[in-house]
Amino acid sequence: MPATGQAVQRRGWTAADFGRVQLRGIAQVALSTSPWTGLLFTAALFAGERRIGLYGLLGAAVSTAAAAVLGADRAGLAKGLEGYCGCLTGIAVVVRLGASWETALLAVGAAAVCSVVGAAAGRLLGCLGLPALTAPFCLVAGVLASALPTGVPAPAPPASRDGFTTLTAAQLARAFCDNLGQVFFLHTWYAGLILLAGLLMASRRAAAAAASGSCFAILTACVLGLPADRISEGLYGYNAVLVAIALAATFLPLTPWTAGYAVVAAVSSVPFTAAWAAFAQTYGGSAFSWPFVLTTWLFLAAAPALDRPGISSAKAE
């Protein structure tokens, strides 16, 4: 445990400590530990939609508090590792059901469950040397999506067409921004730019990876002939953004080989996202970030077998 974590454990947490943990929990959605990144991410949530900002903060706070009550490791708590899945779960609940006191109660309960699922996932995946990523969120949100038929189901994805999809300049710009924004269910271009600024504040490498992942996702979706409106809404690219951050800026050392490896992974996540969305639509669900989770796991697990640098165990903790 770092020295700062030891100090926190000895003297207890102040209000400022709680604030930093809360912001780090939101920043950890994009694998960052910077509270300043979390602050800009929070600004992006409220810029996109006020209820998303409120429920994101609520979910992060509840899942962190539940993990603390259950005795989670203080070092992990201090890094925000117990908050990001609750943040996303709270947002997913309000996006599906709308804001109400019943929705708030459901978000609180779901975010608390995330801490338990996260602990189990961390224990099981730790034996394999793999991070939990957003799998706890995906599991909890997926169960809720299938169990809440009163929610508004996602519209059926239009069928892809033959040939290359052509986008206008406006659609290209919106796709680039919304690929970032859809990580938090946001669909406003300026929210995506605020998120990118938040990444840049923490790491130029992470920001470059996210921007590159967005660009490669757009190109891949166009080559596959996927619908232009859904490409421009960021529905095929947000997983690629997260995959690029994970492989090019977090878990693998940056080399020409790993940079190319991250590009292949990001590109692979696009058809995976389209296929998963089509499958999930049959029960009114969503792909959430399952394509990011599974693609990242597969490429991290494969890296050592390919006689190349594998996952950094220090960063996976």
Side-chain angles (χ1 to χ4, degrees):
M1 182 184 294
T4 54
Q6 292 175 343
V8 168
Q9 195 168 24
R10 285 195 301 267
R11 63 179 171 79
W13 284 357
T14 66
D17 293 326
F18 278 112
R20 282 191 291 269
V21 168
Q22 175 80 344
L23 294 175
R24 284 174 177 151
I26 296 173
Q28 282 285 1
V29 172
L31 303 169
S32 172
T33 60
S34 169
W36 296 108
T37 296
L39 182 62
L40 279 177
F41 281 9
T42 302
L45 296 182
F46 280 96
E49 193 171 346
R50 186 170 64 91
R51 62 175 186 169
I52 287 181
L54 291 172
Y55 276 76
L57 288 174
L58 175 66
V62 169
S63 59
T64 300
V69 169
L70 293 172
D73 175 60
R74 284 296 183 94
L77 285 168
K79 293 175 183 176
L81 293 176
E82 303 295 343
Y84 66 99
C85 284
C87 172
L88 290 174
T89 301
I91 294 172
V93 169
V94 74
V95 167
R96 184 173 181 85
L97 297 178
S100 68
W101 68 267
E102 295 97 333
T103 303
L105 289 178
L106 181 61
V108 167
V113 170
C114 276
S115 64
V116 178
V117 176
R123 185 173 181 84
L124 294 173
L125 292 167
C127 298
L128 302 175
L130 294 174
L133 303 175
T134 56
F137 150 65
C138 293
L139 285 169
V140 174
V143 169
L144 289 177
S146 60
L148 297 173
T150 56
V152 180
S160 59
R161 58 186 184 83
D162 294 332
F164 188 90
T165 301
T166 302
L167 301 179
T168 65
Q171 287 175 319
L172 282 170
R174 182 185 175 193
F176 176 83
C177 296
D178 281 3
N179 283 343
L180 298 160
Q182 285 290 350
V183 169
F184 285 97
F185 300 86
L186 299 172
H187 48 80
T188 50
W189 64 268
Y190 45 87
L193 291 182
I194 297 173
L195 292 173
L196 185 60
L199 283 172
L200 184 60
M201 180 168 289
S203 166
R204 287 179 293 179
R205 181 175 159 190
S212 298
S214 181
C215 292
F216 279 108
I218 294 170
L219 178 60
T220 304
C222 289
V223 169
L224 293 174
L226 296 173
D229 58 337
R230 294 179 72 84
I231 295 174
S232 65
E233 291 170 4
L235 297 178
Y236 298 123
Y238 65 97
N239 284 296
V241 168
L242 291 173
V243 168
I245 295 172
L247 295 181
T250 306
F251 296 116
L252 298 178
L254 183 60
T255 67
W257 187 90
T258 55
Y261 194 60
V263 169
V264 173
V267 167
S268 300
S269 72
V270 176
F272 196 4
T273 299
W276 199 298
F279 167 75
Q281 191 276 331
T282 60
Y283 61 86
S286 168
F288 296 117
S289 53
W290 273 125
F292 153 61
V293 171
L294 295 180
T295 301
T296 302
W297 283 348
L298 288 172
F299 276 77
L300 286 177
L306 297 173
D307 195 25
R308 295 291 180 175
I311 186 172
S312 166
S313 59
K315 291 187 178 182
E317 292 176 354

